[in-house]
Amino acid sequence: METFDITVIGSGPGGYVAAIRCAQLGYKTAIVEKYPTLGGTCTNVGCIPTKALLDSSEHYHQAIETFDKHGIELEEVKLNFQQFIARKNEVVTQNTKGLNFLMDKNKITVFEGTAQFKNNSEITVKSPDNKSTEIKSKHFIIATGSKPATLPNIKIDKKRIITSTEALTLNDKPKSMIIIGGGVIGVEMASIYNRIGTKVTIIEYAKELISTMDLELGASLRKILKKQGIDIQLSKSVYGVENLGDKAVVYYRDENQKEFSLEAEYILMAVGRRPYTEGLGLENTTIQLDDKGRIKTNENLQTTVPSIYAIGDVVAGPMLAHKAEEEGVFVAEIIDGQKPHIHYNRIPGVVYTWPEVASVGYTEEELIAKGIEYRKGKFPFSASARARAAMEKDGFAKVLSEPKYGEVLGVHIIGPRAADLIAQAVIGLEYEVTDSDMFMISYAHPTYSEVLKEAYMLASGQSAINI
């Protein structure tokens, strides 16, 4: 029997960050991972490889579409799809090696295998060679993440009907792809493959893309993706798919129940993700799940077993890597007797299309639904000197603020480098800086960030200055 102060189950961003923080606080810490490499979905088959392919595909797209406008003339631009995938694999390997180093540096014991609770204080870890290790721990942190979801009556065969995991490791560039779901995963995958010449169609049930974000962002992104050549079908419900051997077909209906079918080489299911708790042996504990299969926790992320905590995708809230990281640190410090806090409304969300989409705080729709008064400042990238110089004129920054005192309530950006720009807005919300204070600070010129400055200025009730 191995004994530890804290044992973390799952080594994704939430898990490895939790383990590192526990070790930093002086606890004898272990981490259990079922796969041969650390990092979970994000590092191996999610955030990191997707961003690697997004960057590669954007370079290829720019070489074809805009290099000549910059005076760069190429006789021929060719895509080596195998190298396209190989570079992504190299990026993943570099990141997983970095995690191994961090585990060693912080003296965290790593167990490779599947963890199963025996009771409220012990687990059994079964390794790939079928050997078992018994672990007793004062505290456990469950960080087992999520798996791709599907629709009723639709089976993912990983051949023609695939998820984002398989889409990251295809052998050849597909000629066509239908993506079911226009959320974050769907639009990012659509961007990757559309840029390299795949005919892409998105079929989305909601009335707009990225429907959980501010609706103006989704509407703007839809127009941009359509302009880039992606076919977008909104307000459509998929009721069946079929593998036809060398291709697949999807069956769907519109709002009037009129039926349609569409064929492509691959159908990619991108309808979200579900908490992953299968095989954990939760039935051997007194841990409870909610109606969506998530682990029930209190405000301290403590399950119904006081010594067991849960973080990340297996608990309520947005399925974001950085949200899981925040919760990993939070739980470690709660166990240590500290009093940390997380403002969930101040955790940003990002979509890595190009242009990028980023958001933090309340959406306009949420403020209207809650009856909260607000002012709005919206400024386009087309009026930015920096954006014009880079030929990146699509998009806008929108600031929502409280009328009386100017507290920033929400910031929503679609445009170049939005993923980086949103960090400044997060600071504004976290420290309750006013809209007028946010525009009165100095912004370097010319930069994309000046679009935010103008949006803050407009939200405060002042006139914008053309940049």
Side-chain angles (χ1 to χ4, degrees):
M1 175 82 67
E2 300 265 10
T3 59
F4 294 91
D5 296 321
I6 302 171
T7 300
V8 181
I9 304 172
S11 71
Y16 72 71
V17 167
I20 291 170
R21 186 63 182 134
C22 290
Q24 289 174 340
L25 291 169
Y27 295 98
K28 183 182 179 184
T29 305
I31 192 165
V32 182
E33 173 54 57
K34 65 185 290 188
Y35 294 111
T37 55
L38 301 176
T41 293
C42 179
T43 305
N44 291 280
V45 291
C47 326
I48 304 305
T50 303
K51 274 65 208 174
L53 291 185
L54 280 161
D55 278 347
S56 293
S57 64
E58 180 62 16
H59 287 311
Y60 177 72
H61 176 75
Q62 292 291 346
I64 292 174
E65 297 293 331
T66 65
F67 272 19
D68 59 334
K69 294 177 183 176
H70 289 285
I72 304 168
E73 297 181 0
L74 302 174
E75 290 185 10
E76 184 181 14
V77 178
K78 288 174 31 177
L79 177 72
N80 181 335
F81 189 77
Q82 284 67 41
Q83 176 56 28
F84 179 72
I85 297 297
R87 191 194 82 88
K88 177 266 298 180
N89 294 338
E90 290 170 8
V91 172
V92 171
T93 299
Q94 290 166 6
N95 279 274
T96 55
K97 285 182 177 178
L99 293 177
N100 291 336
F101 168 77
L102 289 173
M103 296 303 110
D104 290 341
K105 178 184 176 183
N106 289 282
K107 296 180 175 57
I108 297 166
T109 304
V110 178
F111 293 93
E112 181 186 347
T114 303
Q116 186 175 62
F117 280 96
K118 292 173 62 180
N119 50 52
N120 287 343
S121 60
E122 296 175 346
I123 62 171
T124 299
V125 178
K126 187 168 286 187
S127 67
D129 59 5
N130 228 24
K131 292 180 180 177
S132 293
T133 303
E134 307 295 316
I135 296 177
K136 187 178 181 66
S137 192
K138 293 178 184 175
H139 302 278
F140 288 96
I141 302 173
I142 300 173
T144 47
S146 60
K147 292 289 183 183
T150 187
L151 295 173
N153 304 317
I154 293 179
K155 183 179 179 182
I156 297 167
D157 61 21
K158 300 186 179 182
K159 296 175 182 177
R160 292 292 168 191
I161 303 159
I162 62 175
T163 70
S164 57
T165 300
E166 292 76 45
L168 294 169
T169 55
L170 295 177
N171 293 321
D172 299 293
K173 186 190 87 171
K175 294 183 178 65
S176 57
M177 180 181 289
I178 297 167
I179 299 175
I180 301 173
V184 177
I185 297 171
V187 295
E188 288 186 357
M189 285 293 169
S191 292
I192 290 170
Y193 281 100
N194 176 66
R195 290 171 188 165
I196 63 173
T198 300
K199 178 177 171 51
V200 176
T201 300
I202 296 174
I203 300 176
E204 167 58 40
Y205 178 77
K207 288 180 168 52
E208 197 52 88
L209 297 178
I210 53 173
S211 59
T212 60
M213 300 182 82
D214 190 278
L215 290 184
E216 280 197 90
L217 296 177
S220 181
L221 180 63
R222 168 175 45 83
K223 293 173 185 176
I224 292 168
L225 294 183
K226 277 192 170 184
K227 187 168 64 175
Q228 292 173 359
I230 297 172
D231 180 26
I232 298 172
Q233 303 283 330
L234 299 175
S235 301
K236 304 294 191 301
S237 57
V238 172
Y239 64 89
V241 299
E242 187 178 356
N243 184 336
L244 302 178
D246 60 347
K247 59 185 176 181
V249 60
V250 59
Y251 303 97
Y252 60 100
R253 300 184 181 96
D254 65 12
E255 291 175 298
N256 299 316
Q257 300 305 301
K258 184 178 178 181
E259 297 188 349
F260 303 86
S261 65
L262 195 62
E263 295 180 353
E265 268 193 71
Y266 294 96
I267 294 173
L268 194 163
M269 296 298 297
V271 293
R273 298 180 66 84
R274 58 180 178 82
Y276 187 67
T277 58
E278 288 91 336
L280 260 181
L282 297 185
E283 65 277 6
N284 301 322
T285 71
T286 52
I287 289 174
Q288 297 176 8
L289 303 179
D290 67 14
D291 57 356
K292 294 184 178 179
R294 301 172 301 196
I295 295 174
K296 287 185 178 181
T297 59
N298 62 16
E299 67 278 4
N300 289 331
L301 296 172
Q302 197 171 32
T303 70
T304 44
V305 179
S307 60
I308 303 177
Y309 296 77
I311 63 173
D313 290 1
V314 291
V315 301
M319 291 184 173
L320 299 170
H322 47 286
K323 177 254 196 186
E325 292 176 346
E326 293 292 317
E327 290 178 336
V329 172
F330 176 87
V331 165
E333 294 180 353
I334 285 288
I335 292 172
D336 194 51
Q338 300 181 36
K339 297 186 183 299
H341 69 276
I342 299 176
H343 288 301
Y344 283 98
N345 195 44
R346 298 171 186 176
I347 295 176
V350 176
V351 186
Y352 293 89
T353 49
W354 195 262
E356 293 172 335
V357 184
S359 183
V360 66
Y362 288 113
T363 66
E364 198 166 348
E365 293 71 36
E366 287 172 334
L367 292 175
I368 292 170
K370 291 176 180 290
I372 298 173
E373 291 187 17
Y374 65 94
R375 291 185 302 216
K376 177 167 74 171
K378 183 179 175 183
F379 197 81
F381 276 90
S382 60
S384 160
R386 178 69 182 90
R388 288 195 292 263
M391 297 192 300
E392 297 287 1
K393 296 187 290 182
D394 286 328
F396 59 84
K398 179 167 79 170
V399 171
L400 307 172
S401 62
E402 188 274 329
K404 186 175 182 180
Y405 299 107
E407 179 185 351
V408 178
L409 302 173
V411 177
H412 310 282
I413 310 169
I414 177 167
R417 301 300 169 204
D420 299 305
L421 292 176
I422 201 65
Q424 185 247 43
V426 174
I427 294 171
L429 265 73
E430 182 67 29
Y431 294 101
E432 300 179 357
V433 183
T434 66
D435 48 16
S436 57
D437 285 338
M438 290 298 281
F439 82 73
M440 288 176 67
I441 59 177
S442 179
Y443 290 66
H445 177 77
T447 59
Y448 296 131
S449 64
E450 290 174 292
V451 173
L452 264 178
K453 177 185 178 77
E454 300 295 317
Y456 288 125
M457 186 179 291
L458 288 168
S460 74
Q462 301 195 42
S463 298
I465 299 172
N466 195 315
I467 57 172

